[in-house]
Amino acid sequence: MAEFRIRAGSFPRFLAPFIAPLVLFFAVCLLLGAILTGSTPLGAVLGALATGVLVAVLAAKHRRLASGTVVRFSADGVELTDSYGFRVRLRWPDITRVDVVDTQLANPRRVGRPGGMRARVQPLRSVGLIGWGERTVPPRIPGWMRDRLGRVPVDPVTGRPEVAIPLGEFDPLWERGPMGDWVRRYRADLVG
C-alpha cells in the first residue's frame, strides 16, 4: 500500500477559483465601508481587511483539507478520503478512464445582482481516475452538493455511481511519478 497527500504550496491553486467572488466581496465591502464612514480611503481599508479575513478563513479550510486528504493505492484499487468525511473507492477493474476531473469546492451558483457585477466559484480541474465505484459522504452536506451527486450517472448493471479521484490535485505530474507507476502496474491500458 502507498499513501499520497496534497503537496505543500498548493494554496494558490486552491484560491484561484475564489478570485472573482473575492473581488466582488472587496468591492461590496469597499462601498459599504465608504458609505458608513463617509470616507473612500477608509472604505478601501475596511474592504481590504474584510477580504483579508475571508482569505484567512479559506487558508484555514485549505490547511484542514490538505492535512486530512489522502489517496491510497493498493492491490485492490485506489481510495480517497478527506477530513470532512468523504470517501471514494475505485477497484482496478472498475476504472473506466483517465480524464479531467472537476472538483467543485463551493456552490457553483452565481452571486451578485442581475445586470451588475456577478461572480461564481469555478471548479478545480485536474486529471484523475474515473469509474464505477463507491462513495461515502458525510451526513450533512449542502443541498447543491447533494443535488449534484444525485445527478451522477449510475452503472446499469451494478448500480454503483460514477466516481472520480483527482490525482492531479496531489501531483500535477502524477502520471510520471509513483502514482502513475501504480496505475501502470494494474491498469497499463489507461496510461501511456
Side-chain angles (χ1 to χ4, degrees):
M1 181 184 291
E3 283 190 1
F4 300 91
R5 296 186 180 274
I6 295 175
R7 292 182 176 199
S10 62
F11 181 65
R13 180 163 159 60
F14 174 83
L15 186 63
F18 292 95
I19 295 298
L22 285 170
V23 169
L24 179 62
F25 182 76
F26 171 76
V28 169
C29 289
L30 180 142
L31 288 172
L32 287 174
I35 290 169
L36 293 175
T37 64
S39 166
T40 301
L42 191 54
V45 169
L46 291 174
L49 286 173
T51 305
V53 168
L54 193 53
V55 169
V57 168
L58 289 171
K61 287 187 175 288
H62 176 265
R63 192 174 313 113
R64 178 179 176 195
L65 180 70
S67 67
T69 303
V70 180
V71 66
R72 293 178 182 88
F73 287 79
S74 70
D76 294 330
V78 185
E79 178 180 285
L80 171 76
T81 59
D82 72 14
S83 58
Y84 293 99
F86 287 91
R87 186 161 108 193
V88 175
R89 276 194 242 164
L90 272 169
R91 293 175 352 123
W92 292 114
D94 299 328
I95 299 172
T96 57
R97 67 191 185 280
V98 171
D99 206 346
V100 174
V101 175
D102 287 334
T103 304
Q104 189 69 47
L105 300 170
N107 191 335
R109 183 177 59 86
R110 288 186 179 275
V111 295
R113 295 190 68 183
M117 188 188 297
R118 299 188 71 179
R120 73 175 182 195
V121 176
Q122 298 294 326
L124 284 176
R125 300 193 88 183
S126 65
V127 175
L129 304 175
I130 300 173
W132 307 112
E134 300 171 30
R135 178 188 322 111
T136 304
V137 298
R140 294 179 56 203
I141 60 172
W144 68 266
M145 188 179 291
R146 191 170 304 285
D147 291 343
R148 184 176 173 151
L149 293 175
R151 291 191 306 269
V152 169
V154 175
D155 183 8
V157 176
T158 64
R160 287 181 296 190
E162 184 176 61
V163 297
I165 298 179
L167 298 179
E169 295 302 324
F170 294 84
D171 179 1
L173 303 174
W174 68 267
E175 292 174 90
R176 296 187 214 155
M179 288 190 276
D181 293 342
W182 275 92
V183 175
R184 277 187 288 283
R185 182 179 313 148
Y186 291 97
R187 289 297 304 272
D189 59 306
L190 296 173
V191 291

